[in-house]
Amino acid sequence: MTDQSMKPFTVLLIGQAISLFGSSLTGFALGIWAYEQIGSVTVYTVIALANIVPVVLLSPLAGAVADRYNRKMIVILSQIAAIAITGALASLYWWQLLVPWHIIALVTLNSVFNAFVLPTISATIPLMVSKSNLTKANGMIALAFGLIELATPAIAGTLYANGGMQTLFLVDLATFSVGIGAVIITRIPQPQAKTAAASATDTQELSLLASIGEGYRYLMKAPALLGLVGFFSSIAAMLIAAGVMVQPMLLGFAKPDQMGQIMSFAGSGIIAGAAIMIALTNINRHMPIVIGVSGLVGVGLLLLPATTTPWMIAAGGFIVMACFPVIDSNNRSIYQRKVDPAILGRVIGLRNFVLGLAQCFMLLIIGPLADAVFEPAMAADGWLAPTLGPYYGTGQGRGIAVLISLLGALMLVSVALTLCSRRMRRLDSELDDVEIAVEETEPEQQTAMDAVAMAK
């Protein structure tokens, strides 16, 4: 493949990013609207979980579907379903019938369809770009997600304040049309089945459940990849827990406007890290980068919370946030280089399932740990105050700071354990790159065939 092969991927990414941006705006504003209606943080949290949990639980099934059916059709059907769900929400709002449980139910349904898009597109990337551009492509994805995450709160809040939910719904529907248009005009290739497992799936001799099992057995035969699933899941879980606790930690010594400035500057590190990945090509050894940069993040989380100097927190946060796209892009590239594209959807689905469970588990325990254990322990008369007080200080937010440092220490332990594994250290050379082969079937014909199969 030449650099020309990046163009179809770029068109697809831009279209999906615009569509996702519209959905993010609506989702953010719906949370505000629901909170204003009943003033319940619980409902706000349930809406957030409704957006996450189906993706986590359905990831293995979604990966099997991505490997079994035409990938272009999967994305198109998911986009059509999302348009219908947004239309239903808009209609209920227009007729003043919308209540929070409608939002929870429809957001959950939308998340079900979104679950099938993520592994489908991830599994298709190695068919659309050359190996030398894999980290570049994954860096572009990280850049798009980073921009959406940074821009959504401010833009959604402004649109909601000035135009209400109807404006957000219109924007969402418009962005959906861009997303589905990009999919329609882009050729999304199908992999050729080369492995026995993939061949059985493509001939539909296996049930979807059995197809998921094939993905599991594929990972079991590659212990280094299985170890990578566990390693990255632990790193991502600790990062999301630290991210949730940063805001209350900062409020312990900074005013709200100062906290916002610190978080905005630190968050912009995502853009810097993604830009680095886009600029780099021909990266052949990904694992040393994943391990080394994860270690750097661990050191940052261990040391930074001890300070209450705003500029140091902001600068350190920028570096930590810049590291995540680097870790994520190289992690994705390993799977895309080492796993047969015909079974890649299932492998990614299982990876996302383990990753999601780890993150959900961490989010469930981190709040109680902070509130019931570490914050009281770092109060002026707390049991940890005599030992850690001279380094962290005492009072509001200092227990959270200690807990974030503990997460950094655990991350360094995970890095050390990974370094102790020869297979993990040498994963790039231990596993051969797969040979990419694209199905010759015309996309229009294959789409029609798979539409009939999926309907059955």
Tab-separated table of all heavy atoms in Angstrom, residues 33-93:
chain	number	residue	atom	x	y	z
A	33	TRP	N	-30.089	18.279	31.110
A	33	TRP	CA	-31.552	18.420	31.103
A	33	TRP	C	-32.185	17.519	32.177
A	33	TRP	O	-33.069	17.952	32.926
A	33	TRP	CB	-32.100	18.063	29.728
A	33	TRP	CG	-33.583	18.205	29.615
A	33	TRP	CD1	-34.295	19.326	29.306
A	33	TRP	CD2	-34.562	17.169	29.844
A	33	TRP	NE1	-35.637	19.066	29.320
A	33	TRP	CE2	-35.836	17.748	29.643
A	33	TRP	CE3	-34.468	15.820	30.189
A	33	TRP	CZ2	-37.012	17.017	29.772
A	33	TRP	CZ3	-35.635	15.089	30.327
A	33	TRP	CH2	-36.888	15.688	30.116
A	34	ALA	N	-31.722	16.258	32.250
A	34	ALA	CA	-32.280	15.315	33.224
A	34	ALA	C	-32.008	15.790	34.646
A	34	ALA	O	-32.878	15.694	35.524
A	34	ALA	CB	-31.697	13.919	33.004
A	35	TYR	N	-30.813	16.313	34.876
A	35	TYR	CA	-30.484	16.791	36.217
A	35	TYR	C	-31.350	17.996	36.587
A	35	TYR	O	-31.804	18.126	37.730
A	35	TYR	CB	-29.007	17.156	36.297
A	35	TYR	CG	-28.563	17.571	37.681
A	35	TYR	CD1	-28.368	16.630	38.681
A	35	TYR	CD2	-28.354	18.910	37.982
A	35	TYR	CE1	-27.979	17.002	39.958
A	35	TYR	CE2	-27.959	19.303	39.255
A	35	TYR	CZ	-27.767	18.345	40.234
A	35	TYR	OH	-27.388	18.730	41.491
A	36	GLU	N	-31.584	18.875	35.614
A	36	GLU	CA	-32.417	20.050	35.877
A	36	GLU	C	-33.864	19.645	36.183
A	36	GLU	O	-34.557	20.313	36.960
A	36	GLU	CB	-32.392	21.004	34.687
A	36	GLU	CG	-31.091	21.767	34.538
A	36	GLU	CD	-31.115	22.713	33.348
A	36	GLU	OE1	-32.016	22.572	32.486
A	36	GLU	OE2	-30.234	23.577	33.271
A	37	GLN	N	-34.322	18.558	35.565
A	37	GLN	CA	-35.709	18.152	35.746
A	37	GLN	C	-35.976	17.596	37.142
A	37	GLN	O	-37.009	17.894	37.752
A	37	GLN	CB	-36.096	17.097	34.692
A	37	GLN	CG	-36.053	17.601	33.268
A	37	GLN	CD	-36.962	18.799	33.030
A	37	GLN	OE1	-38.154	18.747	33.301
A	37	GLN	NE2	-36.391	19.885	32.530
A	38	ILE	N	-35.050	16.780	37.660
A	38	ILE	CA	-35.331	16.119	38.937
A	38	ILE	C	-34.240	16.343	39.984
A	38	ILE	O	-34.403	15.945	41.133
A	38	ILE	CB	-35.546	14.600	38.747
A	38	ILE	CG1	-34.301	13.954	38.141
A	38	ILE	CG2	-36.742	14.325	37.895
A	38	ILE	CD1	-34.418	12.448	38.061
A	39	GLY	N	-33.123	16.958	39.599
A	39	GLY	CA	-32.072	17.270	40.561
A	39	GLY	C	-31.429	16.063	41.207
A	39	GLY	O	-30.992	16.116	42.358
A	40	SER	N	-31.334	14.957	40.469
A	40	SER	CA	-30.778	13.725	41.024
A	40	SER	C	-29.438	13.392	40.373
A	40	SER	O	-29.366	13.206	39.153
A	40	SER	CB	-31.750	12.559	40.819
A	40	SER	OG	-31.141	11.338	41.170
A	41	VAL	N	-28.396	13.308	41.188
A	41	VAL	CA	-27.087	12.878	40.684
A	41	VAL	C	-27.139	11.413	40.271
A	41	VAL	O	-26.465	10.991	39.332
A	41	VAL	CB	-26.007	13.098	41.770
A	41	VAL	CG1	-24.649	12.572	41.299
A	41	VAL	CG2	-25.902	14.580	42.115
A	42	THR	N	-27.973	10.636	40.955
A	42	THR	CA	-28.092	9.213	40.645
A	42	THR	C	-28.557	8.996	39.212
A	42	THR	O	-27.990	8.177	38.477
A	42	THR	CB	-29.073	8.524	41.614
A	42	THR	OG1	-28.585	8.674	42.939
A	42	THR	CG2	-29.211	7.047	41.274
A	43	VAL	N	-29.577	9.748	38.799
A	43	VAL	CA	-30.067	9.634	37.425
A	43	VAL	C	-28.983	10.033	36.434
A	43	VAL	O	-28.791	9.393	35.398
A	43	VAL	CB	-31.334	10.492	37.218
A	43	VAL	CG1	-31.713	10.562	35.742
A	43	VAL	CG2	-32.481	9.928	38.023
A	44	TYR	N	-28.260	11.096	36.762
A	44	TYR	CA	-27.148	11.549	35.902
A	44	TYR	C	-26.132	10.417	35.740
A	44	TYR	O	-25.634	10.148	34.636
A	44	TYR	CB	-26.503	12.774	36.546
A	44	TYR	CG	-25.528	13.511	35.673
A	44	TYR	CD1	-25.946	14.550	34.859
A	44	TYR	CD2	-24.189	13.175	35.673
A	44	TYR	CE1	-25.053	15.241	34.055
A	44	TYR	CE2	-23.285	13.853	34.876
A	44	TYR	CZ	-23.719	14.888	34.071
A	44	TYR	OH	-22.825	15.554	33.273
A	45	THR	N	-25.823	9.719	36.844
A	45	THR	CA	-24.858	8.626	36.811
A	45	THR	C	-25.403	7.438	36.025
A	45	THR	O	-24.671	6.795	35.266
A	45	THR	CB	-24.517	8.181	38.245
A	45	THR	OG1	-24.064	9.305	38.983
A	45	THR	CG2	-23.439	7.114	38.237
A	46	VAL	N	-26.691	7.153	36.200
A	46	VAL	CA	-27.297	6.023	35.494
A	46	VAL	C	-27.258	6.248	33.981
A	46	VAL	O	-27.008	5.312	33.207
A	46	VAL	CB	-28.746	5.790	35.974
A	46	VAL	CG1	-29.461	4.788	35.078
A	46	VAL	CG2	-28.748	5.294	37.413
A	47	ILE	N	-27.482	7.477	33.555
A	47	ILE	CA	-27.403	7.791	32.118
A	47	ILE	C	-25.992	7.530	31.604
A	47	ILE	O	-25.801	6.967	30.513
A	47	ILE	CB	-27.831	9.251	31.855
A	47	ILE	CG1	-29.326	9.423	32.133
A	47	ILE	CG2	-27.515	9.656	30.413
A	47	ILE	CD1	-29.804	10.864	32.061
A	48	ALA	N	-24.996	7.930	32.393
A	48	ALA	CA	-23.604	7.682	31.990
A	48	ALA	C	-23.322	6.184	31.894
A	48	ALA	O	-22.681	5.711	30.941
A	48	ALA	CB	-22.655	8.343	32.980
A	49	LEU	N	-23.818	5.415	32.870
A	49	LEU	CA	-23.620	3.962	32.835
A	49	LEU	C	-24.360	3.325	31.665
A	49	LEU	O	-23.876	2.362	31.062
A	49	LEU	CB	-24.098	3.348	34.151
A	49	LEU	CG	-23.215	3.589	35.368
A	49	LEU	CD1	-23.882	3.060	36.628
A	49	LEU	CD2	-21.854	2.933	35.183
A	50	ALA	N	-25.540	3.862	31.334
A	50	ALA	CA	-26.311	3.336	30.199
A	50	ALA	C	-25.550	3.495	28.895
A	50	ALA	O	-25.743	2.738	27.935
A	50	ALA	CB	-27.659	4.052	30.102
A	51	ASN	N	-24.658	4.469	28.868
A	51	ASN	CA	-23.851	4.715	27.677
A	51	ASN	C	-22.643	3.798	27.609
A	51	ASN	O	-22.072	3.602	26.535
A	51	ASN	CB	-23.377	6.175	27.687
A	51	ASN	CG	-23.378	6.791	26.315
A	51	ASN	OD1	-23.751	6.158	25.336
A	51	ASN	ND2	-22.961	8.029	26.235
A	52	ILE	N	-22.254	3.220	28.746
A	52	ILE	CA	-21.014	2.446	28.817
A	52	ILE	C	-21.265	0.946	28.902
A	52	ILE	O	-20.657	0.166	28.160
A	52	ILE	CB	-20.179	2.893	30.035
A	52	ILE	CG1	-19.777	4.361	29.903
A	52	ILE	CG2	-18.947	2.015	30.202
A	52	ILE	CD1	-19.129	4.929	31.144
A	53	VAL	N	-22.155	0.542	29.800
A	53	VAL	CA	-22.297	-0.873	30.137
A	53	VAL	C	-22.648	-1.751	28.925
A	53	VAL	O	-22.035	-2.816	28.737
A	53	VAL	CB	-23.330	-1.060	31.271
A	53	VAL	CG1	-23.626	-2.539	31.501
A	53	VAL	CG2	-22.807	-0.424	32.562
A	54	PRO	N	-23.618	-1.365	28.060
A	54	PRO	CA	-23.908	-2.233	26.910
A	54	PRO	C	-22.702	-2.446	25.997
A	54	PRO	O	-22.514	-3.548	25.463
A	54	PRO	CB	-25.034	-1.473	26.176
A	54	PRO	CG	-25.689	-0.660	27.236
A	54	PRO	CD	-24.571	-0.234	28.138
A	55	VAL	N	-21.891	-1.401	25.818
A	55	VAL	CA	-20.692	-1.539	24.976
A	55	VAL	C	-19.754	-2.578	25.572
A	55	VAL	O	-19.191	-3.419	24.861
A	55	VAL	CB	-19.980	-0.177	24.832
A	55	VAL	CG1	-18.659	-0.348	24.086
A	55	VAL	CG2	-20.867	0.816	24.096
A	56	VAL	N	-19.593	-2.526	26.904
A	56	VAL	CA	-18.710	-3.481	27.570
A	56	VAL	C	-19.241	-4.897	27.432
A	56	VAL	O	-18.528	-5.823	27.011
A	56	VAL	CB	-18.550	-3.117	29.061
A	56	VAL	CG1	-17.758	-4.197	29.795
A	56	VAL	CG2	-17.863	-1.762	29.211
A	57	LEU	N	-20.503	-5.103	27.754
A	57	LEU	CA	-21.068	-6.450	27.783
A	57	LEU	C	-21.199	-7.066	26.397
A	57	LEU	O	-21.081	-8.291	26.242
A	57	LEU	CB	-22.440	-6.420	28.463
A	57	LEU	CG	-22.451	-5.994	29.943
A	57	LEU	CD1	-23.870	-6.019	30.494
A	57	LEU	CD2	-21.545	-6.896	30.777
A	58	LEU	N	-21.436	-6.234	25.404
A	58	LEU	CA	-21.665	-6.755	24.049
A	58	LEU	C	-20.398	-6.818	23.203
A	58	LEU	O	-20.460	-7.269	22.053
A	58	LEU	CB	-22.706	-5.892	23.333
A	58	LEU	CG	-24.146	-6.016	23.852
A	58	LEU	CD1	-25.043	-5.000	23.169
A	58	LEU	CD2	-24.682	-7.428	23.620
A	59	SER	N	-19.267	-6.369	23.720
A	59	SER	CA	-18.042	-6.328	22.918
A	59	SER	C	-17.658	-7.684	22.319
A	59	SER	O	-17.323	-7.755	21.124
A	59	SER	CB	-16.884	-5.769	23.750
A	59	SER	OG	-17.024	-4.388	23.944
A	60	PRO	N	-17.685	-8.795	23.082
A	60	PRO	CA	-17.342	-10.076	22.453
A	60	PRO	C	-18.283	-10.447	21.306
A	60	PRO	O	-17.841	-10.909	20.248
A	60	PRO	CB	-17.458	-11.073	23.616
A	60	PRO	CG	-17.258	-10.250	24.846
A	60	PRO	CD	-17.905	-8.929	24.528
A	61	LEU	N	-19.599	-10.266	21.507
A	61	LEU	CA	-20.566	-10.556	20.445
A	61	LEU	C	-20.352	-9.632	19.256
A	61	LEU	O	-20.401	-10.071	18.096
A	61	LEU	CB	-21.984	-10.409	20.979
A	61	LEU	CG	-23.113	-10.581	19.956
A	61	LEU	CD1	-23.113	-11.988	19.393
A	61	LEU	CD2	-24.458	-10.244	20.581
A	62	ALA	N	-20.087	-8.354	19.521
A	62	ALA	CA	-19.882	-7.392	18.445
A	62	ALA	C	-18.659	-7.758	17.612
A	62	ALA	O	-18.668	-7.624	16.381
A	62	ALA	CB	-19.719	-5.988	19.025
A	63	GLY	N	-17.613	-8.228	18.273
A	63	GLY	CA	-16.423	-8.648	17.528
A	63	GLY	C	-16.704	-9.833	16.623
A	63	GLY	O	-16.226	-9.897	15.483
A	64	ALA	N	-17.501	-10.794	17.107
A	64	ALA	CA	-17.863	-11.952	16.284
A	64	ALA	C	-18.709	-11.532	15.089
A	64	ALA	O	-18.528	-12.036	13.971
A	64	ALA	CB	-18.617	-12.974	17.139
A	65	VAL	N	-19.640	-10.599	15.306
A	65	VAL	CA	-20.468	-10.098	14.203
A	65	VAL	C	-19.600	-9.376	13.167
A	65	VAL	O	-19.797	-9.527	11.953
A	65	VAL	CB	-21.564	-9.153	14.750
A	65	VAL	CG1	-22.273	-8.429	13.617
A	65	VAL	CG2	-22.577	-9.955	15.568
A	66	ALA	N	-18.625	-8.604	13.639
A	66	ALA	CA	-17.743	-7.878	12.719
A	66	ALA	C	-16.952	-8.831	11.828
A	66	ALA	O	-16.679	-8.525	10.664
A	66	ALA	CB	-16.780	-6.989	13.509
A	67	ASP	N	-16.566	-9.988	12.369
A	67	ASP	CA	-15.815	-10.964	11.581
A	67	ASP	C	-16.718	-11.791	10.672
A	67	ASP	O	-16.262	-12.350	9.678
A	67	ASP	CB	-15.050	-11.913	12.509
A	67	ASP	CG	-13.860	-11.234	13.164
A	67	ASP	OD1	-13.381	-10.224	12.623
A	67	ASP	OD2	-13.414	-11.712	14.229
A	68	ARG	N	-18.002	-11.860	11.007
A	68	ARG	CA	-18.908	-12.781	10.304
A	68	ARG	C	-19.635	-12.112	9.140
A	68	ARG	O	-19.879	-12.745	8.109
A	68	ARG	CB	-19.923	-13.330	11.310
A	68	ARG	CG	-20.775	-14.471	10.799
A	68	ARG	CD	-21.762	-14.892	11.882
A	68	ARG	NE	-22.524	-16.054	11.484
A	68	ARG	CZ	-22.390	-17.258	12.004
A	68	ARG	NH1	-21.488	-17.468	12.939
A	68	ARG	NH2	-23.150	-18.257	11.599
A	69	TYR	N	-19.989	-10.847	9.290
A	69	TYR	CA	-20.814	-10.174	8.292
A	69	TYR	C	-20.078	-9.005	7.656
A	69	TYR	O	-18.999	-8.599	8.103
A	69	TYR	CB	-22.118	-9.683	8.938
A	69	TYR	CG	-22.962	-10.790	9.501
A	69	TYR	CD1	-23.094	-10.954	10.881
A	69	TYR	CD2	-23.621	-11.685	8.664
A	69	TYR	CE1	-23.862	-11.974	11.407
A	69	TYR	CE2	-24.390	-12.702	9.180
A	69	TYR	CZ	-24.510	-12.851	10.550
A	69	TYR	OH	-25.266	-13.872	11.065
A	70	ASN	N	-20.677	-8.471	6.625
A	70	ASN	CA	-20.083	-7.353	5.913
A	70	ASN	C	-19.958	-6.139	6.825
A	70	ASN	O	-20.935	-5.678	7.429
A	70	ASN	CB	-20.948	-7.004	4.691
A	70	ASN	CG	-20.340	-5.880	3.894
A	70	ASN	OD1	-20.601	-4.718	4.161
A	70	ASN	ND2	-19.523	-6.226	2.927
A	71	ARG	N	-18.753	-5.636	6.937
A	71	ARG	CA	-18.469	-4.587	7.912
A	71	ARG	C	-19.104	-3.254	7.530
A	71	ARG	O	-19.495	-2.472	8.393
A	71	ARG	CB	-16.954	-4.461	8.085
A	71	ARG	CG	-16.361	-5.714	8.732
A	71	ARG	CD	-14.857	-5.714	8.812
A	71	ARG	NE	-14.397	-6.917	9.517
A	71	ARG	CZ	-13.126	-7.223	9.727
A	71	ARG	NH1	-12.169	-6.406	9.286
A	71	ARG	NH2	-12.792	-8.327	10.370
A	72	LYS	N	-19.193	-2.994	6.260
A	72	LYS	CA	-19.839	-1.763	5.822
A	72	LYS	C	-21.315	-1.765	6.207
A	72	LYS	O	-21.843	-0.750	6.702
A	72	LYS	CB	-19.684	-1.596	4.313
A	72	LYS	CG	-20.223	-0.284	3.768
A	72	LYS	CD	-19.794	-0.103	2.317
A	72	LYS	CE	-20.184	1.267	1.795
A	72	LYS	NZ	-19.633	1.532	0.450
A	73	MET	N	-21.967	-2.890	6.037
A	73	MET	CA	-23.378	-2.988	6.388
A	73	MET	C	-23.592	-2.821	7.889
A	73	MET	O	-24.570	-2.203	8.330
A	73	MET	CB	-23.935	-4.334	5.915
A	73	MET	CG	-25.379	-4.590	6.309
A	73	MET	SD	-26.524	-3.333	5.718
A	73	MET	CE	-26.472	-3.654	3.959
A	74	ILE	N	-22.676	-3.375	8.695
A	74	ILE	CA	-22.797	-3.242	10.154
A	74	ILE	C	-22.789	-1.777	10.554
A	74	ILE	O	-23.624	-1.321	11.350
A	74	ILE	CB	-21.651	-3.992	10.860
A	74	ILE	CG1	-21.784	-5.503	10.643
A	74	ILE	CG2	-21.645	-3.676	12.358
A	74	ILE	CD1	-20.579	-6.294	11.103
A	75	VAL	N	-21.850	-1.003	10.000
A	75	VAL	CA	-21.744	0.412	10.363
A	75	VAL	C	-22.971	1.183	9.876
A	75	VAL	O	-23.519	2.029	10.590
A	75	VAL	CB	-20.446	1.024	9.790
A	75	VAL	CG1	-20.355	2.507	10.136
A	75	VAL	CG2	-19.228	0.288	10.338
A	76	ILE	N	-23.414	0.889	8.651
A	76	ILE	CA	-24.578	1.593	8.107
A	76	ILE	C	-25.829	1.324	8.949
A	76	ILE	O	-26.573	2.248	9.299
A	76	ILE	CB	-24.816	1.186	6.642
A	76	ILE	CG1	-23.713	1.776	5.746
A	76	ILE	CG2	-26.188	1.668	6.161
A	76	ILE	CD1	-23.801	1.337	4.296
A	77	LEU	N	-26.074	0.059	9.281
A	77	LEU	CA	-27.253	-0.275	10.087
A	77	LEU	C	-27.185	0.376	11.467
A	77	LEU	O	-28.196	0.843	11.999
A	77	LEU	CB	-27.379	-1.787	10.225
A	77	LEU	CG	-27.764	-2.558	8.963
A	77	LEU	CD1	-27.790	-4.056	9.240
A	77	LEU	CD2	-29.106	-2.089	8.423
A	78	SER	N	-25.989	0.413	12.039
A	78	SER	CA	-25.835	1.057	13.344
A	78	SER	C	-26.119	2.548	13.264
A	78	SER	O	-26.739	3.133	14.156
A	78	SER	CB	-24.421	0.812	13.885
A	78	SER	OG	-24.179	-0.567	14.090
A	79	GLN	N	-25.680	3.186	12.179
A	79	GLN	CA	-25.931	4.617	11.996
A	79	GLN	C	-27.427	4.882	11.811
A	79	GLN	O	-27.970	5.852	12.364
A	79	GLN	CB	-25.161	5.129	10.776
A	79	GLN	CG	-23.656	5.164	10.953
A	79	GLN	CD	-23.189	6.415	11.676
A	79	GLN	OE1	-23.982	7.263	12.041
A	79	GLN	NE2	-21.897	6.522	11.894
A	80	ILE	N	-28.092	4.032	11.033
A	80	ILE	CA	-29.534	4.201	10.818
A	80	ILE	C	-30.281	4.059	12.144
A	80	ILE	O	-31.207	4.827	12.444
A	80	ILE	CB	-30.047	3.176	9.789
A	80	ILE	CG1	-29.469	3.502	8.389
A	80	ILE	CG2	-31.574	3.169	9.743
A	80	ILE	CD1	-29.779	2.449	7.343
A	81	ALA	N	-29.884	3.071	12.949
A	81	ALA	CA	-30.523	2.877	14.258
A	81	ALA	C	-30.306	4.101	15.145
A	81	ALA	O	-31.225	4.546	15.848
A	81	ALA	CB	-29.956	1.627	14.933
A	82	ALA	N	-29.093	4.657	15.106
A	82	ALA	CA	-28.799	5.835	15.922
A	82	ALA	C	-29.649	7.033	15.493
A	82	ALA	O	-30.122	7.813	16.337
A	82	ALA	CB	-27.313	6.180	15.822
A	83	ILE	N	-29.838	7.181	14.187
A	83	ILE	CA	-30.689	8.273	13.689
A	83	ILE	C	-32.124	8.096	14.192
A	83	ILE	O	-32.772	9.055	14.633
A	83	ILE	CB	-30.663	8.312	12.150
A	83	ILE	CG1	-29.278	8.760	11.651
A	83	ILE	CG2	-31.734	9.256	11.611
A	83	ILE	CD1	-29.106	8.670	10.147
A	84	ALA	N	-32.623	6.863	14.137
A	84	ALA	CA	-33.992	6.592	14.596
A	84	ALA	C	-34.140	6.886	16.091
A	84	ALA	O	-35.160	7.448	16.540
A	84	ALA	CB	-34.360	5.138	14.299
A	85	ILE	N	-33.131	6.513	16.882
A	85	ILE	CA	-33.192	6.741	18.328
A	85	ILE	C	-33.155	8.237	18.641
A	85	ILE	O	-33.920	8.726	19.482
A	85	ILE	CB	-32.034	6.002	19.027
A	85	ILE	CG1	-32.269	4.488	18.929
A	85	ILE	CG2	-31.908	6.440	20.482
A	85	ILE	CD1	-31.067	3.655	19.289
A	86	THR	N	-32.290	8.969	17.956
A	86	THR	CA	-32.242	10.417	18.160
A	86	THR	C	-33.556	11.060	17.743
A	86	THR	O	-34.052	11.981	18.405
A	86	THR	CB	-31.076	11.033	17.352
A	86	THR	OG1	-29.847	10.448	17.796
A	86	THR	CG2	-31.005	12.542	17.550
A	87	GLY	N	-34.132	10.563	16.646
A	87	GLY	CA	-35.431	11.077	16.218
A	87	GLY	C	-36.515	10.822	17.255
A	87	GLY	O	-37.379	11.683	17.489
A	88	ALA	N	-36.455	9.652	17.900
A	88	ALA	CA	-37.437	9.335	18.942
A	88	ALA	C	-37.280	10.271	20.139
A	88	ALA	O	-38.262	10.777	20.682
A	88	ALA	CB	-37.279	7.875	19.379
A	89	LEU	N	-36.049	10.516	20.543
A	89	LEU	CA	-35.800	11.439	21.654
A	89	LEU	C	-36.289	12.851	21.316
A	89	LEU	O	-36.917	13.521	22.140
A	89	LEU	CB	-34.305	11.474	21.987
A	89	LEU	CG	-33.741	10.290	22.767
A	89	LEU	CD1	-32.223	10.311	22.741
A	89	LEU	CD2	-34.249	10.299	24.207
A	90	ALA	N	-35.986	13.285	20.087
A	90	ALA	CA	-36.398	14.623	19.665
A	90	ALA	C	-37.916	14.748	19.636
A	90	ALA	O	-38.474	15.777	20.040
A	90	ALA	CB	-35.805	14.941	18.287
A	91	SER	N	-38.592	13.697	19.170
A	91	SER	CA	-40.058	13.733	19.102
A	91	SER	C	-40.674	13.799	20.494
A	91	SER	O	-41.608	14.569	20.738
A	91	SER	CB	-40.573	12.495	18.358
A	91	SER	OG	-40.093	12.467	17.028
A	92	LEU	N	-40.145	12.981	21.401
A	92	LEU	CA	-40.650	13.010	22.774
A	92	LEU	C	-40.431	14.380	23.411
A	92	LEU	O	-41.291	14.892	24.127
A	92	LEU	CB	-39.961	11.925	23.608
A	92	LEU	CG	-40.368	10.470	23.302
A	92	LEU	CD1	-39.415	9.491	23.984
A	92	LEU	CD2	-41.807	10.213	23.760
A	93	TYR	N	-39.281	14.966	23.147
A	93	TYR	CA	-38.987	16.291	23.699
A	93	TYR	C	-39.914	17.343	23.087
A	93	TYR	O	-40.440	18.221	23.793
A	93	TYR	CB	-37.521	16.642	23.437
A	93	TYR	CG	-37.113	17.997	23.966
A	93	TYR	CD1	-36.762	18.168	25.290
A	93	TYR	CD2	-37.076	19.104	23.115
A	93	TYR	CE1	-36.399	19.421	25.785
A	93	TYR	CE2	-36.710	20.357	23.592
A	93	TYR	CZ	-36.370	20.507	24.935
A	93	TYR	OH	-36.013	21.746	25.400
